[in-house]
């Protein structure tokens, strides 16, 4: 900022409290719109309906009042998709390239800890029109009595839209309407009103063979143009048909490249061919599709399945044909041993029957073949060695070897070999040993391992010992504690297989406590009743306490209580607590059976009592900690954003700003002695500081003021305010002060012809029914409102712009549109130059002049108001005119005598019909009285002014009430 500027910076402000009631106020909210809206309507006087075109930018702003400054949050009703986080807590909700799915009801919520939150909503309608699609269907009705055939054709036009679409049919250039042709009927099905239109050609005639066009329209709403679709109907028109140039099913080996060819065998227009998989499953990523040819290189098992070719030409129903791809493979080879089923014994015994079963999943199943070997030699079926197979259409395939009247010589290794008849994949071999040591399984839990206790975060091994030969697969599951909820394993599955009998759980949590079941599987073992065992797992965890962390602000000498609450713990016995301040031990103790809280009482806080208090509640698993930060820091100040006349300008190069704030919870800590005011120019790194002393106690809601002067135009400043107590510095708060340049650099005259889109900072009144519209005669559409409105701007140019009210539907009689000028500040010297005892008012006089156009038989009224912003906002009518004034521009002039900051309000009121457009142009405000006011200057409401005139200071109203977010 520079030393020179630092010397120029003068703090001429003074610290003062706004006595009387505090300025705290609950929030209010209002949603306004900007961006590319098509229309805005009020619905039941409670909610606005905002219409926007798909692809445009939605911009909604939540205007709010209240102190402290409310926090804003946007939500959408029933939204599964989150709003952009950057807009969730912003006053402005902006959605670029809006889609139809983003329409709905949006809510703005404002809250500031005072009163109930303010919630407002707006319904956003997204308008769109998709390209229409024509489909053709035909029917042939036989009438036997008269021996003729009637061929009827239906042309169906469908288009997705919002609002509902309007359809028009043309045959060639001929417009078809209901009744225009005896052979044509046009109707809409009852189940799809506004979305479908059907053209019925009865008993098809030669002239019906023609080009048909369906035009879909939403009547140019939101500027959406009409869209059309065309179909040529001829005696060759026919639905599609297709055929395959391949085998079905197609059996291939893994790694091969396959090509599926689908060709059109009929249909006019020529159909389009596509490939799909059932159930919405995606085609393989490596596929290559060219028309009806689908190529899949290096095929694998996952590529197998059904593939469907679809042919469509919008005539009749699409033609579909499917084929299956079978990729050769063998999977999931398993075996089991079944003892003699005629004896109640699970053991294998000499002289009894034993069955060995082998199971494999094969593709294709009909190519599966099994072979058996004993001790490496082929084994054939005999009277004692009976080999059977399941049918080939049963999957998975199973083969059984029944050994009748088991003998000692039958002991050995039996091998089941599974292969595919045509090869293409490696065979699977499964060895099963039958001997005197082949015994059914037994399942036990190691001693001391049936009840396990673990700490949260540990790695735990649950073990079941399985004996027997062969050893089966062990299945682990959880025992359901209630029938309502299925207990899942830690990995989320219902069951886990283990080959060594161990279930390892890493990073165990308290939710994993419970009963676990291990049981034998029939696979790779004996086909007998499963053996099972149970293991109880108990996961201990440290106490869960609250609050985990809290900050407590207290003044010296006060008494208070710190309480730590036990939520849950396991084990919940032998709980101890320990209170500390920093590293200093305060007190220790043990919980009783019914005790759920421990408290520490501070009778009178001293300086040594400030700091971090901790309460540790411990059990065997660890400790839970409550932390309390006891501090004397003052809460943050709350900047006041609704200051009247906050920004002023005394000299051309500098400006001043009235900084106001309240103190959050001023009585929570010791009395605030001063504030440290820090500031820097935006973009600079150097901070300047000033201390502001405070006398006496600050009341809740008391408004404090400090005037900043000599701020350099047009720079913005970051201001930081920090309260100071005898404890030290409190929490700081920041805001940005932004300078807004005057509307007119000469400060003596304001003129606006509405030639730029900024409207010279005029704004629409958010409390009116509808808005003024900026237009030029060259672009204005008078299709629906003839005999009203101007044909040029007041200077006679068709390219010049002006403001007007559009009174066609949905406007109603009495609806008001109000246009607000920028805010004009009064120079402070004007009021100070007059003695307080003087009865004469020395207020400046200004001349308000504008041109109006009031032509049409339904003209309502045009009013001008002087709005003044003192401690209360007042509006005074200064000019009014009603009725038809002819097709011409007329100038009006009126003297105004403001006594404080003011605005001009132009109000247009809709008359009894649509021919009531009112326009205004070239508004000027000049210092001094009006010269030669025209005769239609109907009213001037204000006392005469003194001869002494001071320049008019004009600033943005936005600068007066700074809304930095």
């Amino acid at each position: 900022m520079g030393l020179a500027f630092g010397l120029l910076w003068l703090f001429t402000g003074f610290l003062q409290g706004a006595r009387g009631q505090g300025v705290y106020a609950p929030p209010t909210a209002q949603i306004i719109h900007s961006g590319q809206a098509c229309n805005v309507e009020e619905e039941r006087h409670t909610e606005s309906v905002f219409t926007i075109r798909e692809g445009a930018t939605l911009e909604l702003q939540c205007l709010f009042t209240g102190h402290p400054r409310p926090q804003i949050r946007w939500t959408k009703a029933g939204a599964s998709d989150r709003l952009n986080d950057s807009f969730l807590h912003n006053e402005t909700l902006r959605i670029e390239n809006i889609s139809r799915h983003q329409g709905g009801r949006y809510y703005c919520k404002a809250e500031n800890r005072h009163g109930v939150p303010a919630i407002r909503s707006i319904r956003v309608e997204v308008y769109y029109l998709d390209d229409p699609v024509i489909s053709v269907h035909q029917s042939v009705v036989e009438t036997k009595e008269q021996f003729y055939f009637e061929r009827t054709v239906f042309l169906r036009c469908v288009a997705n839209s919002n609002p509902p679409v309007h359809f028009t049919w043309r045959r060639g250039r001929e417009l078809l309407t209901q009744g225009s042709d005896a052979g044509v009927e046009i109707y809409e099905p009852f189940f799809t009103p506004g979305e479908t239109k059907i053209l019925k050609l009865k008993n098809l005639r030669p002239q019906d063979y023609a080009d048909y066009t369906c035009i879909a329209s939403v009547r140019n709403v939101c500027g959406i143009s009409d869209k059309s679709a065309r179909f040529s109907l001829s005696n060759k028109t026919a639905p599609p048909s297709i055929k395959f140039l391949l085998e079905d099913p197609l059996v291939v080996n893994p790694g091969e490249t396959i090509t599926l060819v689908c060709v059109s065998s009929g249909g006019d227009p020529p159909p389009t061919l596509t490939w799909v998989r059932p159930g919405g499953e995606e085609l393989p990523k490596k596929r290559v599709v060219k028309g009806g040819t689908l190529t899949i290189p290096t095929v694998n098992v996952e590529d197998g399945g059904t593939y469907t070719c679809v042919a469509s030409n919008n005539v009749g129903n699409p033609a579909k044909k499917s084929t299956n791809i079978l990729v050769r493979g063998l999977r999931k080879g398993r075996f089991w041993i079944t003892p003699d089923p005629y004896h109640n014994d699970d053991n294998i015994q000499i002289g009894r029957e034993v069955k060995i079963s082998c199971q494999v999943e094969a593709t294709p199943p009909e190519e599966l073949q099994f072979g058996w070997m004993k001790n490496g030699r082929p084994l054939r079926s005999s009277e004692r060695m009976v080999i059977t197979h399941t049918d080939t259409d049963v999957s998975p395939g199973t083969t059984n070897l029944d050994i009748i009247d088991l003998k000692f010589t039958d002991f050995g290794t039996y091998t089941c070999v599974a292969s595919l008849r045509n090869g293409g994949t490696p065979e699977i071999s499964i060895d099963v040993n039958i001997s005197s040591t082949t015994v059914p399984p037994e399942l036990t839990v190691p001693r001391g391992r049936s009840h396990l206790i673990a700490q949260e975060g540990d790695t735990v091994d649950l073990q079941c010992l399985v004996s027997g030969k062969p050893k089966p697969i062990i299945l682990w599951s959880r025992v359901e504690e209630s029938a309502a909820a299925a207990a899942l394993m830690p990995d989320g599955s219902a069951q886990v297989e283990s080959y060594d009998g161990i279930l390892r759980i890493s990073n165990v949590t308290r939710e994993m406590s419970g009963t676990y079941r291990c049981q034998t599987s029939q696979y790779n073992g004996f086909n007998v009743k499963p053996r099972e065992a149970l293991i109880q797992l108990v996961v201990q965890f440290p106490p869960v306490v609250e609050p985990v962390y809290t900050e407590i602000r207290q003044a010296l000498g006060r008494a208070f209580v710190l309480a730590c609450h036990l939520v849950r713990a396991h084990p919940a016995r032998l709980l101890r607590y320990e209170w500390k301040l920093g590293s200093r031990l305060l007190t220790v103790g043990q919980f009783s059976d019914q005790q759920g809280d421990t408290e520490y009482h501070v009778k009178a806080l001293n300086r040594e009592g400030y700091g971090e208090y901790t309460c540790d509640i411990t059990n065997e698993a660890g400790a839970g900690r409550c932390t309390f930060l006891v501090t004397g820091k003052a809460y943050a100040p709350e900047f006041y954003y609704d200051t009247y006349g906050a920004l002023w300008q005394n000299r051309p190069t500098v400006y001043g700003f009235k900084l106001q704030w309240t103190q959050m919870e001023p009585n929570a800590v010791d009395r605030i002695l001063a504030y440290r005011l820090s500031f820097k120019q935006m973009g600079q790194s150097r901070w300047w500081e000033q201390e502001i002393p405070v006398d006496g106690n600050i009341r809740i809601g008391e408004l404090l003021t400090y005037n900043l002067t000599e701020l350099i135009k047009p720079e913005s400043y970051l201001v930081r305010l920090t309260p100071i107590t005898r404890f030290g510095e409190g929490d700081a708060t920041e805001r940005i002060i932004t300078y807004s340049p005057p509307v007119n650099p000469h400060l003596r005259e304001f003129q606006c012809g509405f030639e730029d889109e900024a409207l010279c900072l005029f704004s629409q009144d958010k409390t009116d029914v509808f808005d003024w519209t900026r237009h030029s005669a060259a672009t204005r559409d008078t299709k629906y409102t003839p005999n009203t409105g101007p044909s040029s701007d007041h200077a006679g140019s068709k390219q010049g712009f002006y403001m007007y009210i559009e009174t066609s539907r949905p406007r109603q009689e009495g609806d008001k549109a109000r246009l607000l000028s920028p805010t004009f500040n009064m120079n402070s010297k004007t009021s100070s130059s007059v003695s307080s005892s003087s009865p004469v008012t020395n207020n400046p006089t200004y001349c308000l002049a504008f041109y109006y156009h009031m032509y049409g038989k339904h003209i309502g009224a045009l009013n001008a108001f002087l709005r003044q912003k003192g401690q209360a906002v007042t509006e005074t009518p200064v000019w009014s005119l009603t009725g038809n004034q002819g097709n011409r521009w007329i100038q009006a002039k009126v003297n105004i005598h403001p006594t404080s900051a003011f605005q001009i309000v132009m109000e247009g009121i809709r008359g009894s019909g649509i021919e009531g457009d009112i326009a205004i142009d070239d508004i000027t405000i000049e210092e001094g009285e009006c010269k030669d006011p025209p005769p239609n200057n109907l009213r001037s409401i204000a006392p005469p002014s003194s001869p002494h005139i001071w320049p008019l200071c004009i600033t943005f109203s936005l600068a007066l009430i700074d809304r930095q977010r």
Side-chain angles (χ1 to χ4, degrees):
M1 212 179 303
L3 180 59
F5 171 70
L7 295 175
L8 286 174
W9 186 285
L10 301 176
F11 282 91
T12 60
F14 58 95
L15 184 66
Q16 59 183 14
R19 304 303 177 186
Q21 295 184 350
V23 295
Y24 284 129
T28 65
Q30 180 183 10
I31 297 177
I32 64 172
H33 53 83
S34 57
Q36 307 166 32
C38 302
N39 189 28
V40 180
E41 297 180 0
E42 295 295 325
E43 185 180 81
R44 300 185 301 275
H45 306 289
T46 59
E47 181 181 50
S48 295
V49 181
F50 184 85
T51 306
I52 190 170
R53 179 174 178 171
E54 188 172 44
T57 297
L58 172 69
E59 191 168 301
L60 302 176
Q61 187 177 6
C62 188
L63 297 183
F64 55 86
T65 65
H67 184 73
R69 189 184 183 91
Q71 298 293 317
I72 303 299
R73 181 178 177 86
W74 285 96
T75 55
K76 182 175 183 287
S80 58
D81 53 331
R82 281 181 57 84
L83 295 175
N84 190 319
D85 286 341
S86 62
F87 301 127
L88 277 179
H89 302 283
N90 202 318
E91 297 162 30
T92 301
L93 174 66
R94 181 181 175 87
I95 302 177
E96 296 182 354
N97 193 25
I98 192 170
S99 67
R100 64 195 65 181
H101 308 294
Q102 291 173 307
R105 183 168 283 106
Y106 288 83
Y107 294 90
C108 162
K109 180 180 181 181
E111 54 185 339
N112 68 349
R113 311 189 316 273
H114 289 271
V116 297
I119 301 176
R120 293 295 180 266
S121 66
I122 187 170
R123 185 158 58 87
V124 176
E125 288 280 352
V126 180
Y127 280 2
Y128 58 91
L129 174 62
D130 290 344
D131 291 326
V133 177
I134 297 177
S135 58
V136 180
H137 299 268
Q138 60 180 352
S139 63
V140 178
V141 179
E142 180 182 359
T143 307
K144 294 183 178 180
E145 293 80 2
Q146 300 180 12
F147 299 100
Y148 75 88
F149 290 90
E150 177 184 308
R151 186 182 181 193
T152 300
V153 173
F154 299 88
L155 278 73
R156 183 172 183 259
C157 190
V158 179
N160 295 320
S161 72
N162 184 33
V165 67
H166 172 74
F167 292 102
T168 304
W169 282 100
R170 289 184 180 273
R171 181 169 53 196
R173 296 185 178 181
E174 175 191 3
L175 179 64
L176 296 178
T177 58
Q178 185 67 28
S180 64
D181 187 331
V184 176
E185 286 186 12
I186 301 176
Y187 63 93
E188 296 179 357
F190 292 111
F191 54 87
T192 57
E195 299 176 2
T196 304
K197 194 101 172 189
I198 294 181
L199 179 67
K200 180 180 179 183
L201 306 176
K202 300 179 295 182
N203 193 16
L204 203 62
R205 305 162 299 176
Q207 62 265 34
D208 293 329
Y209 294 122
D211 291 339
Y212 290 86
T213 303
C214 169
I215 303 171
S217 173
V218 288
R219 301 171 179 83
N220 203 38
V221 63
C222 281
I224 300 176
S225 303
D226 297 348
K227 297 184 178 182
S228 62
R230 182 176 173 273
F231 188 88
S232 295
L233 182 66
S234 69
N235 57 1
K236 296 181 181 180
T237 300
S241 59
I242 52 176
K243 62 180 180 180
F244 276 162
L245 302 181
L246 52 90
E247 299 178 2
D248 183 33
L250 183 62
V251 182
V252 297
N253 295 325
E256 293 182 351
T257 295
I258 60 172
T259 300
L260 308 180
V261 181
C262 170
V263 296
S264 170
S265 58
D268 188 79
T272 300
L273 302 177
T274 56
W275 283 95
V276 297
R277 297 193 71 175
E281 186 179 355
E282 292 185 357
L283 294 173
K285 293 182 179 180
K286 56 191 175 183
R287 90 284 186 176
V288 178
V289 181
K290 187 175 182 181
T293 302
L294 171 63
T295 302
I296 305 176
T298 319
V299 70
N300 55 40
V301 175
E302 289 74 19
D303 297 329
T306 302
Y307 290 78
T308 302
C309 177
V310 181
S312 175
N313 66 350
N314 292 336
V315 178
N317 294 320
K320 299 180 180 180
K321 204 163 188 178
S322 299
T323 186
N324 284 313
I325 297 177
L326 302 178
V327 182
R328 289 189 176 94
L330 297 173
R331 297 175 300 278
K332 294 185 179 179
R334 292 181 171 181
F335 76 91
W336 59 91
I337 302 171
T338 305
D340 191 340
Y342 302 104
H343 296 81
N344 188 19
D345 194 344
D346 292 341
N347 292 289
I348 296 176
Q349 297 186 22
I350 299 293
R352 294 184 181 177
E353 178 182 344
V354 62
K355 181 192 290 185
I356 306 173
S357 300
C358 178
Q359 186 181 81
V360 174
E361 292 184 5
T363 304
E366 61 271 14
E367 292 189 11
L368 177 63
Q369 56 186 13
F370 287 103
W372 284 93
M373 292 189 296
K374 178 184 177 183
N375 297 328
R377 296 182 178 180
L379 186 68
R380 299 183 183 277
S381 184
S382 63
E383 290 184 358
R384 279 200 328 106
M385 299 285 184
V386 181
I387 299 175
T388 58
H389 307 295
T390 57
D391 294 336
T392 57
D393 58 350
V394 176
S395 183
T398 305
T399 181
N400 301 305
L401 172 62
D402 277 296
I403 304 175
I404 309 299
D405 189 16
L406 182 69
K407 299 180 181 299
F408 181 78
T409 57
D410 295 329
F411 288 166
T413 299
Y414 292 83
T415 304
C416 164
V417 181
S419 63
L420 294 178
R421 187 177 303 112
N422 295 320
T425 187
E427 64 184 19
I428 292 179
S429 297
I430 301 174
D431 293 334
V432 183
N433 185 266
I434 300 296
S435 68
S436 58
T437 60
T438 302
V439 294
E442 294 297 332
L443 201 63
T444 59
V445 177
R447 181 184 300 274
R449 301 287 295 175
S450 59
H451 186 87
L452 298 180
I453 298 177
Q455 305 292 326
E456 198 167 35
D458 290 349
T459 295
V460 182
D461 286 342
L462 280 64
Q463 185 178 17
C464 285
L465 300 177
V466 57
S467 61
K469 184 180 181 180
K471 290 184 178 181
I473 298 173
I474 303 299
L475 301 178
W476 285 94
S477 61
R478 293 184 69 176
V479 179
E480 300 180 9
E481 297 181 359
S482 64
L488 298 178
M489 296 295 288
D491 65 354
S493 62
Q495 210 171 50
V496 174
E497 291 184 353
S498 170
Y499 290 87
D500 59 0
I502 295 177
L503 174 65
R504 172 161 292 180
I505 305 176
S506 301
N507 193 24
V508 68
T509 65
R510 64 196 68 177
E511 290 78 14
M512 297 177 188
S513 294
T515 303
Y516 289 78
R517 176 193 294 117
C518 65
Q519 69 179 41
T520 58
S521 165
Q522 76 172 45
Y523 298 117
N524 298 4
F526 274 70
N527 184 19
V528 294
K529 181 179 179 181
R531 276 61 166 164
E532 67 175 43
L534 300 178
I535 297 178
Q536 184 73 29
L537 176 63
V538 176
V539 180
Q540 295 182 344
F541 55 90
V544 178
V545 297
E546 61 182 19
V548 175
Y549 179 87
T550 188
E551 185 180 72
I552 297 176
R553 308 203 181 201
Q554 288 288 350
L556 292 172
R558 292 182 183 174
F560 58 93
V561 178
L562 305 178
C564 186
H565 172 62
L566 174 65
V567 179
R568 56 185 175 273
H570 190 83
R573 65 183 187 278
L574 302 177
L575 292 169
R576 295 179 57 81
Y577 61 84
E578 182 181 84
W579 284 91
K580 287 184 177 181
L581 172 57
S583 59
R584 178 163 58 94
L585 181 65
L586 299 176
T587 182
V588 296
Q590 185 168 326
F591 277 83
S592 63
D593 292 340
Q594 292 80 26
Q595 188 177 3
D597 294 297
T598 174
E599 296 180 345
Y600 183 76
H601 294 256
V602 177
K603 296 182 179 179
L605 182 64
N606 55 30
R607 288 190 175 275
E608 290 71 24
Y610 285 121
E612 187 175 88
Y613 291 76
T614 57
C615 173
D616 290 330
I617 300 179
T618 58
N619 63 1
E620 298 173 18
R625 170 170 288 189
C626 295
T627 301
F628 305 88
L629 179 61
V630 178
T631 176
K633 289 177 60 176
Y635 285 101
E638 304 156 323
F639 280 120
Y640 188 64
Y641 288 85
D642 296 329
T643 302
Y644 162 71
L647 189 148
W648 73 90
Q649 180 177 328
N650 289 328
R651 298 199 308 276
T653 60
V654 296
Y655 69 98
F657 192 86
K658 182 188 291 185
L659 194 68
Q660 292 190 304
W661 69 94
T662 57
Q663 178 60 45
M664 181 191 302
E665 301 292 341
N667 300 323
V669 295
D670 291 325
R671 184 178 75 82
I672 294 175
L673 304 175
Y675 286 94
R676 176 172 290 109
L677 178 67
S678 307
F679 57 92
K680 72 170 184 175
Q681 186 176 316
M682 298 297 292
Q684 303 291 330
S685 59
R686 185 175 183 181
W687 287 86
W688 299 82
E689 290 187 349
Q690 173 74 24
E691 189 168 290
I692 307 171
V694 176
D695 296 329
N697 294 323
I698 300 175
R699 297 191 299 271
I700 295 177
E702 182 177 351
L703 193 61
L704 307 175
T705 301
Y706 196 86
N707 289 334
L708 299 175
T709 62
E710 303 299 323
L711 304 177
I712 298 177
K713 290 170 47 180
E715 303 299 335
S716 298
Y717 293 87
L718 176 62
V719 177
R720 180 185 298 158
L721 198 61
T722 307
I724 301 173
T725 64
R726 56 179 175 170
F727 175 84
E729 292 189 357
D731 293 338
T733 188
E734 294 181 347
R735 71 170 291 181
I736 296 177
I737 295 174
T738 302
Y739 174 77
S740 298
V743 176
N744 189 294
H746 302 298
L747 301 179
R748 290 180 177 271
E749 177 184 347
F750 172 79
Q751 193 278 335
C752 183
F754 305 110
E755 296 302 323
D756 58 76
E757 294 185 3
L759 304 180
C760 315
L761 301 182
F762 272 84
S763 60
Q764 308 284 354
D765 191 339
K766 304 307 179 184
T767 64
D768 58 9
V769 178
F770 68 112
D771 289 344
W772 287 80
T773 303
R774 176 178 174 266
H775 256 301
S776 70
T779 60
R780 183 182 174 200
D781 183 5
T782 58
K783 180 178 178 180
Y784 300 106
T785 54
N787 305 317
T788 187
S791 57
S792 66
D793 71 355
H794 120 264
S797 170
K798 290 188 177 295
Q799 282 71 39
F801 285 87
Y802 52 85
M803 301 294 290
Y804 87 106
I805 61 169
E806 175 59 63
T807 56
S808 56
R809 293 182 180 86
R811 301 280 68 83
Q812 298 180 358
E813 184 175 4
D815 284 358
K816 296 179 180 180
R818 290 164 59 88
L819 191 66
L820 307 181
S821 76
T823 299
F824 303 97
N825 277 347
M826 299 292 295
N827 194 302
S828 60
K829 295 181 180 180
T830 302
S831 56
S832 63
S833 61
V834 180
S835 170
S836 60
S837 60
S838 172
V840 180
T841 319
N842 191 21
N843 296 323
T845 299
Y846 299 100
C847 177
L848 167 65
F850 58 91
Y851 285 85
Y852 62 87
H853 190 285
M854 301 173 67
Y855 169 57
K857 64 182 180 181
H858 300 136
I859 290 294
L862 177 63
N863 300 318
F865 295 89
L866 175 65
R867 171 185 283 191
Q868 301 193 71
K869 296 185 176 182
Q871 293 301 321
V873 177
T874 61
E875 279 192 9
T876 305
V878 296
W879 187 93
S880 180
L881 191 62
T882 59
N884 187 0
Q885 304 298 316
N887 189 6
R888 57 180 179 147
W889 285 97
I890 307 172
Q891 187 182 34
K893 291 185 177 181
V894 61
N895 292 324
I896 57 174
H897 307 274
T899 59
S900 62
F902 68 94
Q903 290 175 284
I904 300 299
V905 182
M906 303 302 296
E907 179 183 79
I909 303 177
R910 200 254 197 190
S912 59
I914 63 174
E915 296 181 19
D917 293 356
I918 299 174
I920 58 175
D921 197 4
D922 288 338
I923 298 179
T924 62
I925 303 174
E926 294 181 303
E927 179 187 4
E929 293 187 355
C930 297
K931 299 178 180 179
D932 303 322
N936 58 297
N937 186 6
L938 301 182
R939 184 164 47 175
S940 177
I941 304 177
S945 63
S946 69
H948 188 71
I949 304 297
W950 285 96
L952 172 65
C953 293
I954 308 169
T955 61
F956 291 131
S957 59
L958 189 62
L960 298 179
I961 306 176
D962 183 27
R963 290 193 176 273
Q964 296 295 329
R965 306 293 185 256

